[in-house]
Amino acid sequence: MRLLQRQFFGRITALAIVAAAVWVHTFSELPADWLWYSLWLLVVLGGVVCWRIPASAYVMVPLMAAAITLWWVSAAADQRLAETLPTTDENRVSRVEFEVIGLPQQTPSSLHFTARVRQSKPEALPSTIQVNWSAATWLGPYSKPVKVDFPTVSPGQVWQSNMLVKTPHGYQNEQGFDYEQYSFSHGVRALGSVRGEPKLLFTLPWWQRSWSVMAQSLRYELRKAMLPYVQSYRYGGVLLALSVGDQNSIQSQDWLVFNRAGLTHLVSISGSHVTLMAVLVATVISWCWRRLRYKRVALAEYWPAQKIAACVALLVAALYCTVAGWGVPAQRTFLMLAVVVGTRLASVSWQPSQTLALAAVLVVCLDPWTVVASGFWLSFGAVTVLLLCYHWQGHAMQPKQGWAAIGSYVLQVLAWQVVISLALFPALGWQFHEISLISPFSNAYAIPLIGMVITPLSLLLMLVAPIEALSTVAQGVAWLAHVLLELMMRPTEWLCELPAASMAVAWAPWWTYGVAALGMGYAFLPKGLPGRHWGWIGLLPCLLWGRTPIAEGEWRADVLDIGQGGAVLVQTRHHALLFDTGLRLSHQSDVGDRVIVPFLRAKGITALDWLVLSHDDLDHTGGALSVLQAVPVRALYTSFSARAYFGREAALLGMVSPLLPTTAQHLCQQGVSWLVDGVQFSFVWPDASALRNKDSNARSCVLSIRSAQGKSLLLTGDIGVAQEAALLRQGLEPHDVVVVGHHGSRTSSSVNWVQSMQATWAIAQVGWGNRFGHPHTEVVRRWQRFKSVFIRTDYAGAVRIVTEGSGIQVQCQRQVRARYWQHPSSALQTSCDQTLRESQ
């Protein structure tokens, strides 16, 4: 027992440190100072106990390490929180002098980069901001971006500009991307939108720049030198990503292919690339060092070739990781290599798992926010599985020779790839709600081709491109690398077109992932244990969970946080309805693709029974094309001609209309209703005369939903006061929950309407800081005056409404998943849980 304790003592301590860092990032508020004083007292007492009772160290030291980590991570978070944009400066223009510290990312009509504030007026701006410099050439969401020639912006430059500054604010939906977390973890505490024409003041000399800015400057110069050789190629952006880590250069459609094929880890700077370069350099240096002599004495006699090769390889790995942007996989690989080199130089023998554990601790120490990034868990998880595969495979007592040895090695690598893919399925399903079923096949040829040929060629291009005399060589290297990449992409695209290329995975309860971990742990145990391979069955619960069950006669609605627009998902026991699809943001982007489709996948919804588009305003129909492309829709209800609308929109976007002939199309006319799973759906507006109205808001579809127990929800689109009055004259009954008309505009929610609805909850889907001023203060007060709880999605995030017999449960995402880094507006929303108890 004591031997086992000693063997795993360090690894248990490392797990305690990582777990403590993760725990801090689940806090809704950082603890008060008195708690940390108490924690330090416990650390001191633990040290005394270890001194008096040495055997207790196996328990006390991990606990003390976790306590110190809790204090340190919380202190770092508290220091970052202190850099908050003052409320008085929110959404106001400031005059800012800033230094460019990040690698600029340019689109045809905009430029984005991270900057450090040197001085500002007014003062007290956060030190690190994200700058968005957009050209004044935007012609609408259907117009292709016009290429604009921006001034040269590079790290180390100091500019002065007027900026509209605001605190980062993002959508908050269940299992959705948390932009506020992303910004906070990267140290960005304010966003600045350029106003007017910025002025370049000067460029800092190299010796006055920080190490990080020097690294970004080097990346910028290398990318600048490579661009003339790769920008005309179809996959030139992939070559830039493989060499300087510029993943933003990869086209969005290529990311879809890489994700579907399970090759995302290869087109970013992964640990395998860094390791490969280190091994190649070490091999060359070792071979040369053994043959070099000084005064007829081999240099290897002064210093062993193995040690000098390891040191040089570590230096090359450090340079590569720096040029690549120092991402989590690169950090993990470099730190593991550093530990291996350090132990070799010290003549200490460490097991791979010990090296991995120390690397994890060092990564957390360097940046405590890496544990909230999926890359941390995928990177360390893949290496852990690889180590388990190595021990699981064992060693042959009679090694094979020749072609038999090569065949055995290939089969072993393929088996490892299948095992790694299976083991990472739960993590990929949790994070992306989709897993690639073709990844073992695509990785089988992509790993050796990208890792051993294309990546070295990309790095060679990076080295020769800055040398003008070697331009011919650079052209040849770029051509060869791109030809090989094109050849690799052909079978990859064919595999991705297969119907079974990937599988959607719904979000599952936490215990299913625990079952998966236990099952894989048993499967990786040494050979000879009975039924060891049956452990893989533990993956099935989390991969096949599907939709969360709903009782007969009940409904569940998710009012999504999509900014300024409308999108509500309503589910019954066996059916799903989507009411509106949010806003089209640009020619290439819309809310349907960014928010709604991922949300549907997370909920296990593979088809929609009904899609309702209340009216043809862009903030309600903008994401419809993406939704129709992603999931089958059995019936479409609109207040306009859907086929003409989508044909016109598809022509503007240069694509084929996704509206299938098999999709039934109907008008959402008053009197249309249906009953499914014990839930009544009824259109109460528009009537026949309203359908002829030229005002799209006036003919908005209004849908009433009632459970078997009479609990009701009213979806109102953008109707105004006149339509509300007409509905009241026609005898519309009160509703428990109302999604208020026209986002809370003063042209809707009249006094009679609010009083007659008798709603317990009134929900407004609005964008943070929207230019319309929605919801209007007078409208908010009106709903509150009649005892309705007014919920704003920009304050509360997505709102979930669940009927439970004679009651209704309402949850706000920003309260259910409250985190200390959230936008201050989260505190402005009345507690949904408290209002539920009051209503019952």
Side-chain angles (χ1 to χ4, degrees):
M1 185 65 182
R2 184 67 59 83
L3 180 63
L4 288 175
Q5 288 176 334
R6 290 178 179 176
Q7 184 176 3
F8 294 101
F9 175 66
R11 280 159 280 196
I12 292 174
T13 303
L15 286 175
I17 292 173
V18 174
V22 172
W23 190 26
V24 172
H25 299 314
T26 64
F27 293 166
S28 58
E29 293 181 358
L30 294 177
D33 292 339
W34 66 267
L35 180 61
W36 301 124
Y37 296 141
S38 303
L39 206 58
W40 273 108
L41 179 61
L42 292 177
V43 170
V44 173
L45 292 176
V48 173
V49 171
C50 291
W51 176 56
R52 299 293 297 175
I53 311 175
S56 65
Y58 297 112
V59 176
M60 296 305 300
V61 169
L63 292 177
M64 293 163 60
I68 294 172
T69 304
L70 285 172
W71 167 81
W72 177 71
V73 176
S74 297
D78 189 61
Q79 183 178 9
R80 187 165 289 184
L81 275 177
E83 290 196 70
T84 302
L85 183 68
T87 306
T88 54
D89 298 334
E90 186 74 46
N91 220 23
R92 294 182 60 185
V93 176
S94 301
R95 190 168 185 81
V96 185
E97 180 183 307
F98 60 88
E99 175 192 356
V100 182
I101 62 173
L103 186 68
Q105 303 294 338
Q106 185 171 348
T107 65
S109 58
S110 64
L111 190 65
H112 311 270
F113 53 87
T114 309
R116 179 182 296 114
V117 176
R118 293 168 61 92
Q119 58 182 351
S120 63
K121 188 176 181 180
E123 300 178 351
L125 257 65
S127 60
T128 305
I129 64 174
Q130 181 73 24
V131 178
N132 177 25
W133 186 351
S134 298
T137 57
W138 194 70
L139 302 176
Y142 293 113
S143 300
K144 290 186 177 181
V146 179
K147 185 172 178 56
V148 176
D149 293 327
F150 288 94
T152 300
V153 177
S154 62
Q157 291 180 340
V158 177
W159 292 75
Q160 186 180 71
S161 175
N162 293 329
M163 290 185 188
L164 183 71
V165 293
K166 57 183 179 180
T167 303
H169 186 284
Y171 306 141
Q172 287 289 326
N173 295 287
E174 192 176 15
Q175 288 92 49
F177 175 68
D178 191 341
Y179 176 70
E180 293 170 25
Q181 172 191 292
Y182 175 83
S183 299
F184 190 89
S185 62
H186 285 76
V188 175
R189 300 295 291 131
L191 307 177
S193 299
V194 171
R195 293 292 183 266
E197 191 68 25
K199 178 182 179 182
L200 176 62
L201 300 181
F202 55 90
T203 300
L204 288 171
W206 281 81
W207 60 86
Q208 292 185 7
R209 305 179 189 181
S210 64
W211 283 105
S212 61
V213 176
M214 290 176 65
Q216 296 297 331
S217 300
L218 178 61
R219 296 181 68 203
Y220 174 82
E221 295 298 333
L222 292 173
R223 185 182 68 173
K224 180 181 177 181
M226 293 178 65
L227 272 175
Y229 300 103
V230 301
Q231 61 186 357
S232 60
Y233 288 132
R234 169 67 179 81
Y235 299 107
V238 178
L239 299 180
L240 290 176
L242 291 173
S243 52
V244 297
D246 184 15
Q247 298 184 24
N248 290 302
S249 298
I250 301 178
Q251 299 180 25
S252 57
Q253 59 265 35
D254 292 338
W255 277 121
L256 294 176
V257 173
F258 294 139
N259 291 335
R260 195 172 176 84
L263 301 180
T264 305
H265 65 105
L266 293 178
V267 295
S268 57
I269 302 299
S270 65
S272 59
H273 299 158
V274 180
T275 304
L276 176 64
M277 287 304 302
V279 170
L280 290 176
V281 170
T283 302
V284 173
I285 294 298
S286 179
W287 186 88
C288 295
W289 192 260
R290 288 188 175 94
R291 287 156 179 78
L292 293 177
R293 294 180 176 274
Y294 177 73
K295 294 183 179 180
R296 297 184 179 181
V297 179
L299 294 180
E301 295 186 21
Y302 294 101
W303 201 5
Q306 187 181 29
K307 293 186 176 181
I308 188 65
C311 292
V312 175
L314 183 63
L315 178 61
V316 170
L319 292 173
Y320 186 20
C321 292
T322 301
V323 170
W326 197 242
V328 173
Q331 290 181 41
R332 184 260 306 160
T333 306
F334 171 75
L335 292 173
M336 287 186 67
L337 290 174
V339 173
V340 170
V341 172
T343 55
R344 290 294 177 87
L345 294 178
S347 300
V348 177
S349 178
W350 270 26
Q351 294 183 7
S353 59
Q354 292 175 301
T355 303
L356 186 67
L358 181 56
V361 171
L362 294 176
V363 168
V364 172
C365 291
L366 287 173
D367 185 358
W369 287 278
T370 54
V371 294
V372 301
S374 59
F376 177 89
W377 302 101
L378 293 175
S379 177
F380 280 95
V383 175
T384 301
V385 174
L386 191 61
L387 294 177
L388 291 172
C389 285
Y390 178 77
H391 291 289
W392 169 64
Q393 185 72 25
H395 299 280
M397 296 183 64
Q398 296 180 349
K400 298 179 180 179
Q401 303 294 328
W403 288 106
I406 296 175
S408 176
Y409 175 76
V410 171
L411 290 176
Q412 175 180 305
V413 171
L414 290 176
W416 286 12
Q417 181 58 46
V418 172
V419 171
I420 291 174
S421 299
L422 288 173
L424 292 181
F425 275 176
L428 294 171
W430 173 285
Q431 183 67 29
F432 304 109
H433 313 302
E434 185 179 21
I435 55 176
S436 173
L437 300 180
I438 60 173
S439 60
F441 308 100
S442 57
N443 276 275
Y445 60 82
I447 287 178
L449 189 58
I450 292 181
M452 303 182 66
V453 183
I454 297 176
T455 296
L457 287 173
S458 301
L459 294 175
L460 178 60
L461 174 63
M462 180 185 70
L463 295 176
V464 301
I467 305 174
E468 190 174 348
L470 299 178
S471 61
T472 304
V473 176
Q475 290 176 355
V477 172
W479 174 83
L480 178 59
H482 189 262
V483 166
L484 294 174
L485 191 56
E486 274 190 320
L487 291 175
M488 188 208 76
M489 290 302 295
R490 290 177 183 175
T492 303
E493 291 176 345
W494 177 80
L495 286 172
C496 289
E497 291 174 358
L498 297 176
S502 64
M503 180 178 73
V505 178
W507 181 87
W510 64 269
W511 62 264
T512 62
Y513 296 94
V515 171
L518 292 175
M520 286 190 295
Y522 187 74
F524 279 119
L525 289 175
K527 292 183 177 180
L529 291 175
R532 183 173 58 89
H533 296 296
W534 290 103
W536 293 106
I537 295 179
L539 297 177
L540 297 181
C542 65
L543 297 181
L544 304 177
W545 181 257
R547 294 170 59 178
T548 304
I550 302 175
E552 183 75 15
E554 308 288 1
W555 54 263
R556 179 172 62 230
D558 290 283
V559 183
L560 300 182
D561 181 13
I562 56 162
Q564 189 70 17
V568 182
L569 175 68
V570 182
Q571 300 178 70
T572 62
R573 185 175 181 83
H574 300 295
H575 297 80
L577 176 146
L578 180 64
F579 190 92
D580 285 340
T581 57
L583 179 67
R584 170 161 291 280
L585 305 170
S586 66
H587 187 274
Q588 302 93 351
S589 177
D590 60 72
V591 166
D593 179 61
R594 295 177 60 178
V595 179
I596 298 175
V597 171
F599 186 82
L600 294 176
R601 287 176 180 163
K603 293 302 164 191
I605 297 175
T606 57
L608 289 170
D609 297 283
W610 308 280
L611 172 61
V612 180
L613 300 177
S614 61
H615 60 298
D616 51 348
D617 278 1
L618 210 55
D619 58 339
H620 292 257
T621 60
L625 280 179
S626 295
V627 172
L628 289 168
Q629 286 177 322
V631 294
V633 174
R634 296 187 176 94
L636 176 65
Y637 283 90
T638 63
S639 60
F640 52 90
S641 174
R643 191 161 299 280
Y645 177 85
F646 287 120
R648 205 163 45 244
E649 187 176 37
L652 290 170
L653 295 172
M655 57 180 289
V656 178
S657 174
L659 191 59
L660 300 176
T662 55
T663 302
Q665 301 171 50
H666 311 279
L667 290 175
C668 53
Q669 192 168 356
Q670 186 181 65
V672 176
S673 64
W674 62 94
L675 178 69
V676 294
D677 302 330
V679 179
Q680 183 73 40
F681 292 80
S682 304
F683 284 112
V684 298
W685 192 262
D687 57 16
S689 60
L691 282 172
R692 297 189 294 270
N693 199 318
K694 294 182 179 180
D695 181 5
S696 61
N697 290 347
R699 62 171 184 267
S700 288
C701 305
V702 179
L703 180 64
S704 174
I705 303 164
R706 288 187 181 272
S707 70
Q709 296 290 333
K711 295 304 176 182
S712 54
L713 166 68
L714 188 67
L715 307 177
T716 59
D718 277 355
I719 62 171
V721 173
Q723 292 74 48
E724 292 172 352
L727 285 169
L728 292 178
R729 288 194 300 270
Q730 295 169 8
L732 182 65
E733 297 178 350
H735 283 71
D736 298 291
V737 185
V738 175
V739 178
V740 300
H742 206 184
H743 318 287
S745 165
R746 65 188 305 173
T747 61
S748 62
S749 298
S750 65
V751 174
N752 289 338
W753 174 261
V754 173
Q755 186 176 14
S756 300
M757 284 300 97
Q758 302 176 24
T760 304
W761 293 275
I763 305 172
Q765 286 186 286
V766 293
W768 170 252
N770 65 85
R771 61 189 179 92
F772 308 104
H774 295 162
H776 196 275
T777 305
E778 183 180 331
V779 171
V780 176
R781 291 174 180 171
R782 189 177 300 153
W783 283 100
Q784 292 174 340
R785 187 165 65 248
F786 287 97
K787 308 303 181 183
S788 297
V789 177
F790 196 88
I791 301 176
R792 302 172 46 154
T793 55
D794 57 343
Y795 287 177
V799 183
R800 167 159 292 185
I801 312 153
V802 181
T803 61
E804 297 178 334
S806 60
I808 294 180
Q809 181 183 2
V810 175
Q811 295 178 336
C812 298
Q813 179 64 15
R814 286 183 180 269
Q815 296 172 2
V816 173
R817 195 181 181 276
R819 295 294 183 266
Y820 65 86
W821 58 71
Q822 284 181 349
H823 193 279
S825 64
S826 303
L828 301 176
Q829 178 60 55
T830 305
S831 173
C832 295
D833 292 336
Q834 181 64 34
T835 56
L836 170 64
R837 289 193 289 269
E838 291 175 356
S839 68
Q840 292 179 333

